[in-house]
Amino acid sequence: PDCTDVFCCSRKGLLANMNAGEENKRRIEKWKENKIQDWHKGGKLRQKFPDIDDLKNWMNAQVSKAKTKAASKSSRSGRSRKASDLGGSDTDGKKYRSLSEIWSQYASTTKAMASAPDDDRETKKRVKKNKKKNKKNKKTTSSSTPVSSTLSSSHGRQTRQEWYQRGAHYWKNADATVDGVLGGFGHVSTVDIADSRRFLKSLDGVGRDRAVDLGAGIGRVVKGLLLPLFKSVDLVDQDKKYVDTAREELCNHANMGQFVCSGLQDLELLGGGDSGDVRYDVIWFQWVLGHFPDSDLESLLRRCRECLQESGVIVVKENISSGGFVLDKEDMSVTRSESAYKAVFESAGLKVVEEMWQTKFPKELYPVKMFALR
């Protein structure tokens, strides 16, 4: 039988067991081993894929398709429950009922007293007691106390401003290098850029005039992906150290546009309004949207949508959790599930026009997926 026919039979097994953990991983690896053995024997498989790397890319693509189909099936079966209402946990192992609980506790839009649960006598007593304690200890509190230990309010909740401050504090202390911005995984940059380039080139009808990387860090994606493909590229990041590093390396590139230092939650996209609209062919987000609560993310995406060319796209490339969300309390970010991201995209009035899984990443990393939105 043709190799694709054989895989169709195997794929049913993959779909049926996609969430079976280690057992499923072993099945996939066994299937790949068998295919490679068949390839070495020659025949139709060798004829279809003369190069072993072509075979491996095809196998990875088939597994990605099976994962996407399994996730879609799971999503359809759970439509009665909002993605944002699914449970999750934090890096300390604490469980949460929903993302709404995370935003309420760690990124509240109301003042501390207003955000305290159940405005009853016990809550008031507890807050009053903590105020007295803080006043008593005020003289012994050092002004150099780390941000992470001072931002939380007395009853264990923090404001949205504090949420962003803690995230900014984390990145302020990360090195302005590829390894620093990738959390010690700088070696994945090459395969990351390669798949991103393949994804961009697969998007039919998207122009090549202007792009912007929002949350660009030191300009890793701008340099490796966007500048070779677009006539003009803008770069935005909240950390001055990163923007200065990018400017030093990229300012003389003929296609380099503006360098902007701004938090994305406060950003009004470049050149909008009465001064003349800037329209982008591609607005690129990568490993940054986890830092935004749902409502702020929706608002940001809406603003971006208004700055697209008619055929332009917003590209989102993010870590994807296999089950519920995961809150990283060190850098104040949330790894969402695929369905949670798609729920926010829909709320922002955007549709997914293309999607693709990143390949060849280390197994210890989260799965990464790219979405093209318009």
Side-chain angles (χ1 to χ4, degrees):
D2 185 78
C3 57
T4 52
D5 293 333
V6 174
F7 180 74
C8 286
C9 298
S10 303
R11 193 154 148 201
K12 291 179 181 178
L14 288 177
L15 290 172
N17 296 282
M18 193 50 67
N19 296 314
E22 293 302 318
E23 175 62 25
N24 185 59
K25 289 180 181 179
R26 286 192 290 270
R27 287 172 181 248
I28 293 174
E29 291 306 315
K30 184 64 176 176
W31 174 77
K32 288 183 176 181
E33 289 174 9
N34 290 339
K35 281 284 174 266
I36 291 174
Q37 289 175 6
D38 290 345
W39 183 88
H40 283 293
K41 293 177 183 178
K44 290 186 176 180
L45 194 61
R46 186 70 167 266
Q47 292 174 7
K48 185 167 184 176
F49 303 107
D51 192 302
I52 187 69
D53 288 335
D54 292 336
L55 173 66
K56 290 178 179 179
N57 289 335
W58 174 79
M59 289 191 296
N60 288 333
Q62 296 307 305
V63 172
S64 293
K65 287 179 182 178
K67 287 182 177 180
T68 300
K69 190 169 182 179
S72 176
K73 184 178 179 180
S74 174
S75 177
R76 288 195 300 271
S77 65
R79 281 179 179 174
S80 59
R81 191 178 182 194
K82 291 182 179 179
S84 59
D85 289 335
L86 296 176
S89 60
D90 64 25
T91 45
D92 293 332
K94 181 179 177 181
K95 302 295 183 182
Y96 300 87
R97 293 186 300 273
S98 67
L99 272 172
S100 299
E101 186 178 355
I102 293 291
W103 311 140
S104 175
Q105 182 166 340
Y106 294 101
S108 175
T109 55
T110 56
K111 293 181 179 180
M113 282 296 293
S115 65
D118 301 326
D119 190 17
D120 55 19
R121 293 181 180 180
E122 288 301 317
T123 301
K124 290 180 179 179
K125 287 180 181 179
R126 185 164 61 252
V127 173
K128 188 174 181 181
K129 182 178 179 180
N130 284 332
K131 281 185 176 181
K132 288 182 179 180
K133 184 178 179 180
N134 290 339
K135 186 175 181 181
K136 182 178 179 180
N137 294 331
K138 186 175 182 180
K139 293 182 180 180
T140 62
T141 302
S142 170
S143 60
S144 62
T145 304
V147 172
S148 59
S149 65
T150 61
L151 289 176
S152 295
S153 58
S154 60
H155 48 66
R157 299 196 176 212
Q158 66 181 18
T159 66
R160 188 151 298 189
Q161 181 181 6
E162 289 168 341
W163 165 279
Y164 286 122
Q165 286 175 344
R166 287 182 68 175
H169 178 75
Y170 173 86
W171 290 109
K172 185 177 181 180
N173 290 288
D175 291 339
T177 62
V178 172
D179 209 44
V181 297
L182 293 183
F185 286 87
H187 58 282
V188 307
S189 185
T190 300
V191 293
D192 167 66
I193 294 294
D195 270 13
S196 295
R197 185 182 298 110
R198 186 158 60 93
F199 184 64
L200 271 184
K201 289 184 175 181
S202 73
L203 303 176
D204 294 333
V206 176
R208 290 288 184 266
D209 287 328
R210 190 160 192 169
V212 60
D213 186 355
L214 299 182
I218 62 172
R220 181 186 68 88
V221 171
V222 169
K223 178 183 178 181
L225 174 68
L226 301 180
L227 283 175
L229 295 178
F230 294 88
K231 296 177 182 177
S232 178
V233 181
D234 296 325
L235 177 154
V236 181
D237 196 86
Q238 68 174 350
D239 196 295
K240 185 177 183 299
K241 171 183 62 179
Y242 291 161
V243 175
D244 288 345
T245 300
R247 182 183 285 110
E248 183 177 349
E249 182 171 2
L250 302 174
C251 64
N252 293 324
H253 196 289
N255 296 351
M256 195 64 224
Q258 301 183 61
F259 296 88
V260 179
C261 187
S262 173
L264 302 187
Q265 69 273 18
D266 304 317
L267 181 69
E268 291 296 333
L269 282 183
L270 314 177
D274 296 334
S275 62
D277 290 340
V278 170
R279 300 287 175 178
Y280 291 101
D281 296 293
V282 169
I283 298 175
W284 188 274
F285 290 104
Q286 182 165 350
W287 290 324
V288 67
L289 298 188
H291 289 286
F292 292 89
D294 287 351
S295 58
D296 286 2
L297 175 53
E298 179 184 335
S299 176
L300 174 61
L301 291 173
R302 285 183 179 277
R303 297 199 303 275
C304 290
R305 187 186 65 184
E306 297 304 315
C307 294
L308 284 177
Q309 293 281 10
E310 186 175 349
S311 62
V313 291
I314 298 169
V315 176
V316 170
K317 186 170 186 176
E318 291 289 343
N319 292 342
I320 301 295
S321 66
S322 57
F325 59 84
V326 179
L327 167 67
D328 188 325
K329 296 179 71 174
E330 185 177 11
D331 67 2
M332 285 291 105
S333 68
V334 168
T335 302
R336 294 173 170 91
S337 65
E338 182 177 353
S339 58
Y341 268 116
K342 287 184 175 180
V344 178
F345 300 158
E346 184 177 354
S347 296
L350 294 163
K351 293 183 179 180
V352 177
V353 295
E354 193 62 70
E355 53 192 291
M356 188 180 89
W357 289 97
Q358 172 70 41
T359 63
K360 301 180 181 179
F361 265 17
K363 293 181 179 180
E364 60 266 29
L365 297 182
Y366 280 110
V368 174
K369 194 166 192 181
M370 292 168 273
F371 306 91
L373 316 171
R374 87 164 42 108

